[in-house]
Structure formats: C-alpha cells, structure tokens
Coordinates of all heavy atoms in Angstrom, one line a residue:
M266 N 0.8 -1.2 0.0 CA 0.0 0.0 0.0 C 0.9 1.2 0.0 O 1.9 1.3 0.7 CB -0.9 0.0 1.3 CG -1.9 -1.0 1.3 SD -3.4 -0.7 0.4 CE -4.4 0.1 1.6
K267 N 0.4 2.3 -0.7 CA 1.1 3.6 -0.7 C 0.0 4.6 -0.4 O -1.2 4.4 -0.5 CB 1.7 3.9 -2.0 CG 2.8 2.9 -2.4 CD 3.5 3.3 -3.7 CE 4.5 2.3 -4.1 NZ 5.3 2.7 -5.3
T268 N 0.5 5.8 0.1 CA -0.3 6.8 0.5 C -0.1 8.1 -0.3 O 1.1 8.5 -0.5 CB -0.1 7.2 2.0 OG1 -0.3 6.0 2.7 CG2 -1.1 8.2 2.5
M269 N -1.1 8.7 -0.9 CA -1.0 10.0 -1.5 C -2.1 10.9 -0.9 O -3.2 10.5 -0.6 CB -1.2 9.9 -3.0 CG 0.0 9.6 -3.8 SD -0.2 9.6 -5.6 CE 0.4 11.2 -6.0
T270 N -1.7 12.2 -0.7 CA -2.7 13.1 0.0 C -3.5 13.8 -1.1 O -3.1 13.9 -2.3 CB -2.0 14.1 0.8 OG1 -1.1 14.9 0.0 CG2 -1.1 13.5 1.9
C271 N -4.6 14.3 -0.6 CA -5.4 15.2 -1.4 C -4.6 16.3 -2.1 O -4.7 16.5 -3.3 CB -6.5 15.8 -0.5 SG -7.6 17.0 -1.3
R272 N -3.7 16.9 -1.3 CA -2.8 18.0 -1.9 C -1.9 17.5 -3.0 O -1.7 18.1 -4.0 CB -2.0 18.5 -0.7 CG -1.3 19.9 -1.0 CD -0.5 20.3 0.1 NE -1.3 20.5 1.4 CZ -2.0 21.6 1.7 NH1 -2.1 22.5 0.9 NH2 -2.7 21.6 2.8
E273 N -1.3 16.3 -2.8 CA -0.5 15.7 -3.9 C -1.2 15.4 -5.1 O -0.6 15.3 -6.2 CB 0.2 14.4 -3.3 CG 1.3 14.7 -2.3 CD 1.8 13.4 -1.7 OE1 1.0 12.5 -1.4 OE2 3.0 13.4 -1.4
L274 N -2.5 15.3 -5.0 CA -3.4 15.0 -6.2 C -4.1 16.2 -6.7 O -5.1 16.1 -7.4 CB -4.4 13.9 -5.8 CG -3.7 12.5 -5.6 CD1 -4.6 11.6 -4.8 CD2 -3.4 11.9 -6.9
G275 N -3.6 17.4 -6.3 CA -4.1 18.6 -6.8 C -5.2 19.3 -5.9 O -5.8 20.3 -6.3
G276 N -5.5 18.7 -4.8 CA -6.5 19.3 -3.9 C -5.9 20.2 -2.8 O -4.7 20.4 -2.8
P277 N -6.8 20.7 -2.0 CA -6.4 21.7 -1.0 C -6.1 21.2 0.4 O -5.8 22.0 1.3 CB -7.5 22.7 -1.0 CG -8.7 21.9 -1.3 CD -8.2 20.7 -2.1
C278 N -6.3 20.0 0.7 CA -6.2 19.5 2.1 C -5.2 18.3 2.2 O -4.7 17.9 1.2 CB -7.6 19.2 2.7 SG -8.2 17.6 2.3
D279 N -5.0 17.8 3.4 CA -4.0 16.8 3.6 C -4.6 15.4 4.0 O -4.0 14.6 4.6 CB -3.1 17.2 4.8 CG -2.2 18.4 4.3 OD1 -1.6 18.3 3.3 OD2 -2.2 19.4 5.0
V280 N -5.9 15.2 3.5 CA -6.5 13.9 3.7 C -5.6 12.9 2.9 O -5.2 13.1 1.8 CB -7.9 13.9 3.2 CG1 -8.5 12.5 3.0 CG2 -8.8 14.6 4.2
A281 N -5.3 11.7 3.6 CA -4.5 10.7 2.9 C -5.3 9.6 2.3 O -6.3 9.2 2.9 CB -3.5 10.2 3.9
H282 N -5.0 9.2 1.1 CA -5.6 8.1 0.4 C -4.6 7.0 0.3 O -3.5 7.2 -0.1 CB -6.1 8.5 -1.0 CG -7.0 9.7 -1.0 ND1 -8.2 9.8 -0.3 CD2 -6.9 10.9 -1.6 CE1 -8.8 11.0 -0.5 NE2 -8.0 11.7 -1.2
Q283 N -5.1 5.8 0.6 CA -4.2 4.6 0.5 C -4.7 3.7 -0.7 O -5.9 3.6 -0.9 CB -4.2 3.8 1.8 CG -3.4 4.5 2.9 CD -3.1 3.5 4.0 OE1 -4.0 2.8 4.4 NE2 -1.9 3.5 4.5
G284 N -3.7 3.1 -1.3 CA -4.1 2.2 -2.4 C -2.9 1.4 -2.9 O -1.7 1.7 -2.5
N285 N -3.2 0.4 -3.6 CA -2.1 -0.4 -4.2 C -1.7 0.0 -5.6 O -0.8 -0.5 -6.2 CB -2.6 -1.9 -4.3 CG -2.7 -2.5 -2.9 OD1 -1.7 -2.4 -2.1 ND2 -3.8 -3.1 -2.5
S286 N -2.5 0.9 -6.2 CA -2.2 1.5 -7.5 C -2.5 2.9 -7.5 O -3.3 3.4 -6.7 CB -2.9 0.7 -8.6 OG -4.3 1.0 -8.5
A287 N -2.0 3.6 -8.5 CA -2.3 5.0 -8.7 C -3.8 5.2 -9.0 O -4.5 6.1 -8.5 CB -1.5 5.6 -9.9
D288 N -4.4 4.2 -9.8 CA -5.8 4.3 -10.1 C -6.6 4.3 -8.8 O -7.6 5.0 -8.7 CB -6.2 3.1 -11.0 CG -5.7 3.3 -12.4 OD1 -5.6 4.5 -12.8 OD2 -5.5 2.3 -13.0
E289 N -6.2 3.5 -7.8 CA -7.0 3.4 -6.6 C -7.0 4.7 -5.8 O -8.0 5.2 -5.3 CB -6.4 2.3 -5.7 CG -6.9 0.9 -6.0 CD -6.5 -0.2 -5.1 OE1 -6.2 0.1 -3.9 OE2 -6.3 -1.3 -5.5
V290 N -5.8 5.4 -5.7 CA -5.8 6.6 -5.0 C -6.5 7.8 -5.8 O -7.1 8.6 -5.2 CB -4.4 7.1 -4.6 CG1 -3.8 6.1 -3.5 CG2 -3.4 7.3 -5.7
I291 N -6.4 7.7 -7.1 CA -7.1 8.7 -7.9 C -8.6 8.5 -7.7 O -9.3 9.5 -7.6 CB -6.7 8.6 -9.4 CG1 -5.2 9.1 -9.6 CG2 -7.6 9.4 -10.3 CD1 -4.6 8.7 -10.9
K292 N -9.1 7.3 -7.7 CA -10.5 7.1 -7.5 C -10.9 7.6 -6.1 O -12.0 8.1 -5.9 CB -10.9 5.6 -7.7 CG -11.1 5.3 -9.1 CD -11.7 3.8 -9.2 CE -11.5 3.3 -10.6 NZ -11.1 1.9 -10.7
A293 N -10.1 7.3 -5.1 CA -10.4 7.7 -3.8 C -10.4 9.2 -3.7 O -11.3 9.8 -3.0 CB -9.3 7.2 -2.8
Q294 N -9.5 9.9 -4.4 CA -9.5 11.4 -4.4 C -10.8 11.9 -5.1 O -11.4 12.8 -4.6 CB -8.3 11.9 -5.2 CG -8.2 13.4 -5.4 CD -8.0 14.2 -4.2 OE1 -8.0 13.7 -3.1 NE2 -7.8 15.5 -4.4
D295 N -11.2 11.3 -6.2 CA -12.4 11.6 -6.9 C -13.6 11.6 -5.9 O -14.4 12.5 -5.8 CB -12.6 10.7 -8.1 CG -13.6 11.2 -9.1 OD1 -13.7 12.4 -9.3 OD2 -14.4 10.4 -9.6
K296 N -13.7 10.5 -5.2 CA -14.8 10.3 -4.2 C -14.7 11.4 -3.1 O -15.7 11.9 -2.7 CB -14.6 8.9 -3.5 CG -15.6 7.9 -4.0 CD -15.5 6.8 -3.0 CE -16.0 5.5 -3.6 NZ -15.7 4.3 -2.7
H297 N -13.5 11.6 -2.6 CA -13.3 12.6 -1.6 C -13.7 14.0 -2.0 O -14.4 14.7 -1.3 CB -11.8 12.6 -1.2 CG -11.3 13.7 -0.4 ND1 -11.7 14.0 0.9 CD2 -10.4 14.7 -0.8 CE1 -11.1 15.1 1.3 NE2 -10.3 15.6 0.3
L298 N -13.3 14.3 -3.2 CA -13.7 15.7 -3.8 C -15.2 15.8 -3.8 O -15.8 16.8 -3.4 CB -13.1 15.9 -5.1 CG -11.6 16.0 -5.2 CD1 -11.1 16.1 -6.7 CD2 -11.1 17.3 -4.5
K299 N -15.9 14.8 -4.4 CA -17.3 14.8 -4.5 C -18.0 14.9 -3.1 O -19.0 15.6 -2.9 CB -17.9 13.6 -5.2 CG -17.6 13.7 -6.7 CD -18.1 12.4 -7.4 CE -17.7 12.4 -8.9 NZ -17.6 11.1 -9.4
A300 N -17.5 14.1 -2.2 CA -18.1 14.0 -0.9 C -18.0 15.4 -0.1 O -19.0 15.9 0.4 CB -17.4 12.9 0.0
V301 N -16.8 16.0 -0.1 CA -16.7 17.2 0.6 C -17.4 18.4 0.0 O -17.9 19.3 0.6 CB -15.2 17.6 1.0 CG1 -14.6 16.6 1.9 CG2 -14.3 17.8 -0.3
V302 N -17.4 18.4 -1.4 CA -18.1 19.5 -2.1 C -19.6 19.4 -1.8 O -20.3 20.3 -1.6 CB -17.7 19.5 -3.6 CG1 -18.7 20.5 -4.4 CG2 -16.3 20.0 -3.8
A303 N -20.1 18.1 -1.8 CA -21.5 17.9 -1.5 C -21.8 18.4 -0.1 O -23.0 18.8 0.2 CB -21.8 16.4 -1.6
Q304 N -20.8 18.4 0.8 CA -21.1 18.9 2.1 C -20.9 20.4 2.2 O -20.9 21.0 3.3 CB -20.1 18.2 3.1 CG -20.5 16.8 3.4 CD -19.3 16.0 4.1 OE1 -18.4 16.6 4.6 NE2 -19.4 14.7 4.0
G305 N -20.6 21.0 1.1 CA -20.5 22.5 1.0 C -19.1 23.1 1.2 O -19.0 24.2 1.5
D306 N -18.1 22.2 1.0 CA -16.7 22.7 1.1 C -16.3 23.4 -0.2 O -16.0 22.7 -1.2 CB -15.8 21.5 1.4 CG -14.4 22.0 1.7 OD1 -13.9 22.9 1.0 OD2 -13.7 21.4 2.5
A307 N -16.3 24.7 -0.2 CA -16.0 25.5 -1.4 C -14.5 25.3 -1.8 O -14.1 25.5 -3.0 CB -16.3 26.9 -1.2
R308 N -13.6 25.1 -0.8 CA -12.2 25.0 -1.1 C -11.9 23.9 -2.2 O -10.9 23.9 -2.9 CB -11.4 24.6 0.1 CG -11.2 25.8 1.1 CD -10.1 25.5 2.1 NE -10.4 24.1 2.7 CZ -9.5 23.3 3.2 NH1 -8.2 23.7 3.2 NH2 -9.8 22.1 3.7
H309 N -12.7 22.8 -2.2 CA -12.5 21.7 -3.0 C -13.2 21.8 -4.4 O -13.0 20.9 -5.2 CB -12.9 20.4 -2.4 CG -12.0 19.9 -1.3 ND1 -11.9 20.5 -0.1 CD2 -11.1 18.9 -1.3 CE1 -11.0 19.8 0.6 NE2 -10.5 18.9 -0.1
E310 N -14.0 22.9 -4.6 CA -14.7 23.0 -5.8 C -13.8 23.0 -7.1 O -14.1 22.4 -8.1 CB -15.6 24.2 -5.8 CG -17.0 23.9 -5.2 CD -17.8 25.1 -5.0 OE1 -17.6 26.1 -5.6 OE2 -18.8 25.0 -4.2
Q311 N -12.8 23.8 -7.0 CA -11.9 24.0 -8.1 C -11.2 22.6 -8.5 O -11.2 22.2 -9.6 CB -10.8 25.0 -7.9 CG -10.0 25.4 -9.1 CD -8.7 26.1 -8.8 OE1 -8.6 26.7 -7.8 NE2 -7.8 26.1 -9.8
A312 N -10.8 21.9 -7.4 CA -10.1 20.6 -7.7 C -11.1 19.6 -8.3 O -10.8 18.8 -9.1 CB -9.5 20.1 -6.4
L313 N -12.4 19.7 -7.8 CA -13.4 18.8 -8.4 C -13.7 19.1 -9.8 O -13.8 18.2 -10.7 CB -14.7 18.9 -7.5 CG -15.8 18.0 -8.0 CD1 -15.5 16.6 -8.0 CD2 -17.1 18.3 -7.2
N314 N -13.8 20.4 -10.1 CA -14.0 20.8 -11.5 C -12.8 20.4 -12.4 O -13.1 19.9 -13.5 CB -14.2 22.3 -11.6 CG -15.6 22.7 -11.1 OD1 -16.5 21.9 -11.1 ND2 -15.7 23.9 -10.6
E315 N -11.6 20.5 -11.9 CA -10.5 20.1 -12.7 C -10.5 18.6 -12.9 O -10.2 18.1 -14.0 CB -9.2 20.4 -12.0 CG -8.8 21.9 -12.1 CD -7.7 22.3 -11.1 OE1 -7.0 21.4 -10.5 OE2 -7.4 23.5 -11.0
M316 N -10.9 17.8 -11.9 CA -11.0 16.4 -12.0 C -12.1 16.0 -13.0 O -11.9 15.1 -13.9 CB -11.3 15.8 -10.6 CG -11.3 14.3 -10.6 SD -9.6 13.6 -10.7 CE -9.2 13.5 -8.9
K317 N -13.2 16.7 -13.0 CA -14.3 16.4 -13.9 C -13.8 16.7 -15.3 O -14.1 16.0 -16.3 CB -15.5 17.3 -13.6 CG -16.4 16.7 -12.5 CD -17.6 17.6 -12.4 CE -18.4 17.3 -11.2 NZ -19.3 18.4 -10.8
G318 N -13.1 17.8 -15.5 CA -12.6 18.2 -16.8 C -11.7 17.1 -17.4 O -11.6 16.9 -18.6
R319 N -10.9 16.5 -16.5 CA -10.0 15.4 -17.0 C -10.7 14.3 -17.6 O -10.3 13.7 -18.6 CB -9.1 14.9 -15.8 CG -7.9 15.9 -15.5 CD -7.1 15.4 -14.3 NE -6.5 16.6 -13.8 CZ -6.7 17.0 -12.5 NH1 -7.5 16.4 -11.7 NH2 -6.1 18.1 -12.1
W320 N -11.8 13.9 -17.0 CA -12.6 12.8 -17.5 C -13.2 13.2 -18.8 O -13.4 12.4 -19.7 CB -13.7 12.3 -16.5 CG -13.2 11.9 -15.2 CD1 -13.8 12.2 -14.0 CD2 -12.0 11.2 -14.8 NE1 -13.1 11.7 -12.9 CE2 -12.0 11.1 -13.4 CE3 -10.9 10.7 -15.5 CZ2 -10.9 10.5 -12.6 CZ3 -9.8 10.1 -14.8 CH2 -9.9 10.0 -13.4
K321 N -13.6 14.5 -18.9 CA -14.3 14.9 -20.2 C -13.3 15.1 -21.3 O -13.6 15.0 -22.5 CB -14.9 16.3 -19.9 CG -16.4 16.2 -19.5 CD -17.1 17.5 -19.5 CE -17.9 17.7 -18.2 NZ -18.0 19.0 -17.7
H322 N -12.0 15.5 -20.9 CA -11.0 15.7 -22.0 C -9.8 14.8 -21.7 O -8.8 15.3 -21.2 CB -10.6 17.2 -21.9 CG -11.7 18.2 -22.0 ND1 -12.4 18.4 -23.2 CD2 -12.3 18.9 -21.1 CE1 -13.3 19.3 -23.0 NE2 -13.3 19.6 -21.7
P323 N -10.0 13.5 -22.0 CA -9.0 12.6 -21.6 C -7.6 12.9 -22.2 O -6.6 12.6 -21.5 CB -9.5 11.2 -22.2 CG -10.8 11.5 -22.8 CD -11.1 13.0 -22.7
V324 N -7.5 13.5 -23.4 CA -6.2 13.7 -23.9 C -5.4 14.8 -23.1 O -4.3 14.6 -22.7 CB -6.3 14.1 -25.4 CG1 -4.9 14.5 -26.0 CG2 -6.9 13.0 -26.3
S325 N -6.1 15.9 -22.9 CA -5.4 16.9 -22.1 C -5.3 16.5 -20.6 O -4.3 17.0 -19.9 CB -6.1 18.3 -22.2 OG -7.5 18.2 -21.9
G326 N -6.2 15.7 -20.1 CA -6.1 15.2 -18.8 C -5.0 14.2 -18.6 O -4.6 13.9 -17.4
M327 N -4.5 13.6 -19.7 CA -3.5 12.5 -19.6 C -2.2 12.9 -18.9 O -1.6 12.1 -18.2 CB -3.3 12.0 -21.0 CG -2.6 10.6 -21.1 SD -3.3 9.4 -20.1 CE -4.8 8.9 -21.0
G328 N -1.8 14.2 -19.2 CA -0.5 14.7 -18.6 C -0.6 14.6 -17.0 O 0.3 14.1 -16.4
W329 N -1.7 15.0 -16.5 CA -1.9 15.0 -15.0 C -1.9 13.6 -14.6 O -1.3 13.2 -13.5 CB -3.2 15.7 -14.7 CG -3.6 15.6 -13.2 CD1 -3.2 16.5 -12.3 CD2 -4.3 14.6 -12.5 NE1 -3.6 16.1 -11.0 CE2 -4.3 14.9 -11.2 CE3 -4.9 13.4 -13.0 CZ2 -5.0 14.2 -10.2 CZ3 -5.6 12.6 -12.0 CH2 -5.6 13.0 -10.7
Y330 N -2.6 12.7 -15.3 CA -2.8 11.3 -14.9 C -1.4 10.6 -14.9 O -1.1 9.9 -14.0 CB -3.7 10.7 -15.9 CG -4.0 9.2 -15.6 CD1 -4.8 8.9 -14.6 CD2 -3.5 8.2 -16.5 CE1 -5.1 7.5 -14.3 CE2 -3.8 6.9 -16.2 CZ -4.6 6.5 -15.2 OH -4.9 5.2 -14.9
R331 N -0.6 10.9 -16.0 CA 0.7 10.3 -16.0 C 1.6 10.7 -14.9 O 2.3 10.0 -14.3 CB 1.4 10.7 -17.3 CG 0.9 9.9 -18.5 CD 2.0 9.6 -19.5 NE 1.5 9.0 -20.7 CZ 1.1 9.7 -21.8 NH1 1.4 11.0 -21.8 NH2 0.6 9.2 -22.8
K332 N 1.5 12.0 -14.5 CA 2.3 12.6 -13.4 C 1.9 11.9 -12.1 O 2.7 11.5 -11.3 CB 2.1 14.1 -13.4 CG 3.0 14.7 -12.3 CD 2.8 16.2 -12.1 CE 3.7 16.8 -11.0 NZ 3.5 16.1 -9.7
A333 N 0.6 11.8 -11.9 CA 0.1 11.1 -10.7 C 0.6 9.7 -10.6 O 1.0 9.2 -9.5 CB -1.5 11.1 -10.7
K334 N 0.6 9.0 -11.7 CA 1.1 7.6 -11.8 C 2.6 7.6 -11.5 O 3.1 6.7 -10.7 CB 0.9 7.0 -13.1 CG -0.6 6.6 -13.3 CD -0.7 5.7 -14.5 CE -1.0 4.3 -14.0 NZ -1.7 3.4 -15.0
R335 N 3.3 8.6 -12.0 CA 4.8 8.6 -11.8 C 5.1 8.9 -10.3 O 5.9 8.3 -9.7 CB 5.4 9.8 -12.7 CG 6.3 9.3 -13.8 CD 7.2 10.3 -14.3 NE 6.8 11.7 -14.3 CZ 6.2 12.3 -15.2 NH1 5.8 11.7 -16.3 NH2 5.8 13.6 -15.1
D336 N 4.3 9.9 -9.8 CA 4.5 10.3 -8.4 C 4.2 9.1 -7.5 O 4.9 8.8 -6.5 CB 3.6 11.4 -8.0 CG 4.0 12.8 -8.6 OD1 5.1 12.8 -9.2 OD2 3.2 13.7 -8.5
F337 N 3.2 8.4 -7.8 CA 2.8 7.2 -7.0 C 3.9 6.1 -7.1 O 4.3 5.6 -6.1 CB 1.5 6.6 -7.6 CG 0.9 5.5 -6.7 CD1 0.1 5.8 -5.6 CD2 1.2 4.2 -7.0 CE1 -0.4 4.7 -4.8 CE2 0.7 3.1 -6.2 CZ -0.1 3.4 -5.1
A338 N 4.4 5.9 -8.3 CA 5.4 4.9 -8.5 C 6.7 5.2 -7.7 O 7.4 4.3 -7.2 CB 5.8 4.7 -9.9
A339 N 7.0 6.5 -7.5 CA 8.2 7.0 -6.8 C 8.1 6.9 -5.3 O 9.1 7.0 -4.6 CB 8.5 8.4 -7.3
L340 N 6.8 6.7 -4.8 CA 6.6 6.7 -3.3 C 7.1 5.4 -2.8 O 7.1 4.3 -3.4 CB 5.1 6.8 -3.0 CG 4.5 8.1 -3.3 CD1 2.9 7.9 -3.1 CD2 5.0 9.2 -2.3
P341 N 7.6 5.4 -1.5 CA 8.0 4.2 -0.9 C 6.7 3.4 -0.4 O 5.7 4.1 -0.2 CB 8.8 4.6 0.4 CG 8.3 6.0 0.6 CD 7.9 6.6 -0.7
D342 N 6.7 2.1 -0.3 CA 5.6 1.4 0.2 C 5.4 1.7 1.7 O 6.4 1.9 2.4 CB 5.8 -0.1 0.1 CG 5.5 -0.6 -1.3 OD1 4.4 -0.2 -1.8 OD2 6.3 -1.3 -1.9
D343 N 4.2 1.7 2.2 CA 3.9 2.0 3.6 C 4.3 0.7 4.4 O 4.2 -0.4 3.9 CB 2.4 2.2 3.8 CG 2.0 3.6 3.4 OD1 2.9 4.4 3.2 OD2 0.8 3.8 3.2
Ligands
ZN507 ZN1 -9.1 17.3 0.3

C-alpha cells in the first residue's frame, strides 16, 4: 500500500488516500472531492472541476494522470 494526499493529487487539504495502485488513490480522491463539495466545502470545488474536466477531456487530462502515476510509483511502500 502507498499513500497520497489530497494535496499531492491537486486538492487543497491533507487527507491521505491509500491504495495499491495510482488508479485506486485517484478514484479515492475523486470520491473525496465529490463528498466534501457535496457537504458544502468550497475549497475543493476547483479541484473537483479540474477532475471532472480530466474525464471529459482525456487527452489533455492525460498529462496530469501520467504525473500522478509517476509520483505514485516513486513513493515508498507503507
Ligand atoms: Zn481534500
């Protein structure tokens, strides 16, 4: 398992997401963004919009996705 924080994934807080792959922590971040914005957290709105934009524009979103995968691969295992 490795840990990436909301901040490392482009968000504004230090909530930690654990996963065995970059995809897992990216999905956890996606859920986290939706959950906190649904609770009225305005700080996460921009990060959520950016995340939504990535799914809508997979080609331009790919750079961010590759970087997240690279950052994840470079982390030590917990
Ligand atoms: Zn967060």
Side-chain angles (χ1 to χ4, degrees):
M266 293 280 267
K267 296 184 181 186
T268 305
M269 275 182 99
T270 63
C271 176
R272 196 180 302 279
E273 286 171 323
L274 291 160
C278 82
D279 291 308
V280 163
H282 305 299
Q283 285 195 316
N285 290 309
S286 70
D288 285 330
E289 278 183 30
V290 295
I291 289 167
K292 274 187 200 145
Q294 172 71 351
D295 193 38
K296 255 195 203 167
H297 164 67
L298 292 174
K299 284 180 187 154
V301 294
V302 170
Q304 286 164 19
D306 186 324
R308 283 191 315 152
H309 283 74
E310 271 172 18
Q311 193 195 339
L313 178 61
N314 286 335
E315 285 170 6
M316 187 71 92
K317 280 186 188 159
R319 279 176 206 120
W320 306 141
K321 267 189 227 151
H322 307 286
V324 175
S325 53
M327 194 51 77
W329 176 88
Y330 183 72
R331 284 218 187 93
K332 183 183 181 301
K334 284 194 110 160
R335 250 199 331 267
D336 289 350
F337 186 86
L340 289 171
D342 280 311
D343 283 345

